[in-house]
Amino acid sequence: MRILVTGGAGFIGSHIVDALHAHGHDPVVFDAFLPSAHSGAARAPDDAPDDVRDPAAVERALRGVDAVCHQAAMVGLAPDVADAPDYVSNNDLGTAVLLAAMARSGVRSLVLAGSMVVYGEGRFTCADHGDVRPRPRRAADLDAGRFDPPCPHCGAPLAPGLVGEDAPADPRNVYAATKLAQEHLAAAWARAVGGRAVSLRYHNVYGPGMPRDTPYAGVASFFRSALEAGRAPTVFEDGRQRRDFVHVRDVARANAVALAAVGDREAGALAVFNTGSGTPHTVGEMAAALAEAYGGPAPVTTGEYRLGDVRHITASSARIGAELGWRAGVGFAEGVAEFAHAPLRGGVSPRPPAG
């Protein structure tokens, strides 16, 4: 298949392009080269920015294409709410322009880069009230070091668990809201044109080629950037917040698998799949493992926080295994050992990175 990969020169997108080549496909790279992800990164002489918000550029790129793998987006928790227009423009307007061009061009297969951020705080269980949805964490509680959300009914401690794809969406920051909007737009497009769409809800993706020194990257990038600069990784809160760190090559392979299967999905519908390793680790564990593998200073836990962050978010990836036959193959220890010495790509940092 000839596959248009928006964001195909980025961290995840470039690995997807490699995976598609390995699976015998013909990927077409389309990328805006946003400075937040590409500053200082090497480019081929003929690389030119392609903005997914430009209808003419998108329509040209869609010629002869069988499917689209949509990765182009601003990612990460915005340093400031003033970034909201850029997130909405790049993520939601860009997706709308792409889908409108696909409708005109007759391309009916889409795999979308979704995100676990749409779940908000994920799944929690109270001993007395069962599964509950915690309220957004309050600054006063975080200032006092009370990082775990209590039961909204009785205030008791909650046990975090794995969230499934059928859980209610509960986006709690601007980026999360735009990722959910992308899925809604894809679902509306599929219904309107009889298209087939899959959203892979990525967990915390890490691996070679992550952008360095940028607030728009994941926490693993913050830690690795600090170590490369000779600094101790700084861990926010108490370091016990749970995440599912999944290697970028596994995510790239998930896209290749989804693209091969998307034509067999139900027409007129969007299917969503959690895409994670299946083995949760804390942020503190990632920082410590990376520092040890790199041979750098031990992490420092600061107690600081970002108000838009969630405490625990780990999801079950059983559905993608059952329906698409995909499972993560890179173990945590193996992936971290490689990532500790893998090259990073250039980025920008308006303020010092923190974990």
Side-chain angles (χ1 to χ4, degrees):
M1 286 196 299
R2 185 171 174 83
I3 299 167
L4 179 65
V5 185
T6 69
F11 164 47
I12 297 175
S14 60
H15 284 274
I16 291 172
V17 168
D18 290 343
L20 293 177
H21 276 302
H23 282 74
H25 298 298
D26 179 18
V28 177
V29 173
F30 187 100
D31 202 292
F33 292 101
L34 295 178
S36 57
H38 294 279
S39 177
R43 293 193 208 171
D46 58 348
D47 280 341
D50 288 310
D51 195 327
V52 75
R53 295 166 295 182
D54 180 348
V58 174
E59 290 200 18
R60 285 194 300 269
L62 285 169
R63 292 170 188 163
V65 161
D66 301 299
V68 173
C69 182
H70 184 32
Q71 306 295 310
M74 281 187 68
V75 300
L77 178 61
D80 193 288
V81 74
D83 282 342
D86 286 336
Y87 274 85
V88 173
S89 177
N90 282 281
N91 298 359
D92 299 337
L93 175 60
T95 298
V97 170
L98 171 66
L99 294 171
M102 290 174 66
R104 290 189 296 269
S105 302
V107 180
R108 295 293 183 262
S109 294
L110 171 72
V111 172
L112 172 69
S115 176
M116 51 78 183
V117 296
V118 301
Y119 298 118
E121 280 289 355
R123 180 183 177 188
F124 283 84
T125 303
C126 172
D128 292 329
H129 296 96
D131 286 349
V132 297
R133 186 187 304 184
R135 300 186 181 97
R137 297 187 298 170
R138 302 183 306 169
D141 289 330
L142 298 172
D143 287 336
R146 295 188 293 270
F147 301 119
D148 284 295
C151 175
H153 305 294
C154 66
L158 299 174
L162 301 181
V163 64
E165 290 89 347
D166 296 328
D170 188 18
R172 297 196 172 186
N173 57 57
V174 169
Y175 171 61
T178 66
K179 295 307 289 183
L180 183 59
Q182 283 185 304
E183 289 191 348
H184 288 321
L185 288 166
W189 164 84
R191 287 192 297 270
V193 304
R196 293 172 169 86
V198 168
S199 177
L200 300 177
R201 289 178 174 172
Y202 302 160
H203 284 251
N204 289 70
V205 186
Y206 75 99
M210 288 192 87
R212 67 160 57 85
D213 295 330
T214 168
Y216 301 96
V219 68
S221 172
F222 299 166
F223 297 156
R224 177 67 171 74
S225 297
L227 289 164
E228 192 171 271
R231 304 190 305 268
T234 54
V235 180
F236 277 14
E237 302 187 18
D238 57 4
R240 296 174 185 166
Q241 52 272 51
R242 289 158 51 96
R243 299 291 187 268
D244 185 328
F245 295 99
V246 59
H247 196 277
V248 66
R249 285 197 300 273
D250 281 331
V251 168
R253 183 168 51 84
N255 277 270
V257 168
L259 283 160
V262 68
D264 297 326
R265 304 297 305 179
E266 178 187 355
L270 169 74
V272 299
F273 297 100
N274 292 330
T275 308
S277 73
T279 306
H281 290 273
T282 68
V283 170
E285 286 172 343
M286 167 56 86
L290 195 54
E292 182 177 359
Y294 188 86
V300 175
T301 302
T302 68
E304 297 174 83
Y305 63 86
R306 299 186 302 179
L307 195 57
D309 274 338
V310 297
R311 178 60 172 173
H312 303 297
I313 177 63
T314 56
S316 168
S317 295
R319 178 183 289 180
I320 192 172
E323 295 192 23
L324 300 186
W326 176 90
R327 289 174 178 78
V330 180
F332 182 75
E334 173 192 355
V336 169
E338 177 199 22
F339 179 53
H341 299 284
L344 302 177
R345 66 175 60 211
V348 294
S349 182
R351 61 186 183 187

